[in-house]
Amino acid sequence: MEPDSNKPLIIHSCDDHQIVSQGLKAVLCTLPFIEFSSSATPEELIQFLENNTTDVLILDINVSNTNMLSNIPEIKSMQPSMKIVLFTNYCSNQIIKEVVKHKIDGFMEKNASDDEIIDCITNIKVGKPHLPIQNKNQKIIRDNFELAKELTSRELEVLKLLIAGKTNKLISDELFISILTVQTHRKRIYQKLQI
């Protein structure tokens, strides 16, 4: 994105908490060069991007229980020049790796101050990335969404069958694995989900 002081910076926020988008708008619209809009679901976001050009997308990672990181390639393909800033409660090493993998332009935690938010967008406007510096003493928020990202695809299969009320034997038969293997998967699932 080439800096142009006369051109407004068009920002779109996708977050399923209306108060978050309203707060971002209140902070960012103090800057004279900002035009702001928002959506609350992944479907609304895709529809918006199909019909509107956006300079910067401020994206929550978990929107309506959808892992938006997995949608980044599709989102980028719709508007390749659009910059993406993650705005989230999640800040683990795994999330940082995803930021690097998907070549995200900016990252802010939701406890960021007004000044940090403005600094981030100002950096993005002039073409500078705004990425996290991992703090070793930082408390990591770990809820079901974050914990579930650590499960393997096989563990997710077993978990879905457990949730459906199936016994080890039924899971074993359905997945063509031994009962001992099912028990091992259950043990790992319980450890990873801190059950």
Side-chain angles (χ1 to χ4, degrees):
M1 183 188 317
E2 292 297 321
D4 179 351
S5 58
N6 296 320
K7 179 183 178 293
L9 190 68
I10 302 168
I11 296 180
H12 187 79
S13 164
C14 182
D15 197 299
D16 54 357
H17 296 95
Q18 189 177 13
I19 190 70
V20 172
S21 289
Q22 288 175 345
L24 280 172
K25 181 177 183 179
V27 171
L28 292 175
C29 287
T30 62
L31 299 171
F33 54 84
I34 298 293
E35 286 183 14
F36 189 92
S37 60
S38 64
S39 56
T41 67
E43 296 76 21
E44 286 177 3
L45 173 63
I46 297 303
Q47 184 178 7
F48 179 86
L49 293 176
E50 285 173 347
N51 299 300
N52 301 276
T53 301
T54 301
D55 295 317
V56 180
L57 171 64
I58 300 178
L59 183 65
D60 189 5
I61 291 174
N62 179 9
V63 179
S64 302
N65 292 319
T66 299
N67 177 5
M68 296 304 290
L69 287 171
S70 61
N71 293 337
I72 297 279
E74 178 188 1
I75 290 168
K76 283 193 161 195
S77 71
M78 295 178 75
Q79 294 195 29
S81 65
M82 178 179 65
K83 304 298 182 185
I84 298 177
V85 175
L86 296 183
F87 189 54
T88 180
N89 283 323
Y90 306 103
C91 187
S92 65
N93 286 330
Q94 181 57 38
I95 297 294
I96 306 299
K97 286 178 189 172
E98 294 282 339
V99 166
V100 172
K101 172 184 167 185
H102 291 297
K103 299 179 180 175
I104 301 297
D105 304 284
F107 182 98
M108 294 184 290
E109 290 184 73
K110 285 192 175 175
N111 63 358
S113 68
D114 294 6
D115 288 342
E116 289 174 273
I117 293 168
I118 289 171
D119 284 348
C120 175
I121 296 306
T122 303
N123 284 339
I124 297 295
K125 180 172 171 58
V126 297
K128 287 170 54 180
H130 187 92
L131 299 173
I133 298 170
Q134 192 69 351
N135 179 351
K136 292 180 182 175
N137 299 319
Q138 176 179 13
K139 180 182 176 188
I140 304 298
I141 293 176
R142 300 184 61 77
D143 61 14
N144 292 340
F145 174 80
E146 181 73 3
L147 293 171
K149 286 175 61 56
E150 297 182 8
L151 298 179
T152 65
S153 57
R154 179 59 94 180
E155 288 166 350
L156 283 170
E157 287 179 302
V158 171
L159 178 60
K160 286 175 186 173
L161 294 172
L162 286 170
I163 291 169
K166 302 213 172 177
T167 64
N168 287 351
K169 174 75 170 84
L170 289 172
I171 295 171
S172 166
D173 292 344
E174 188 162 332
L175 298 180
F176 304 104
I177 57 178
S178 72
I179 291 177
L180 183 59
T181 302
V182 174
Q183 290 170 339
T184 302
H185 283 311
R186 284 183 76 146
K187 182 178 177 184
R188 289 186 182 145
I189 289 166
Y190 293 162
Q191 288 171 340
K192 289 180 179 182
L193 296 184
Q194 300 177 3
I195 297 171

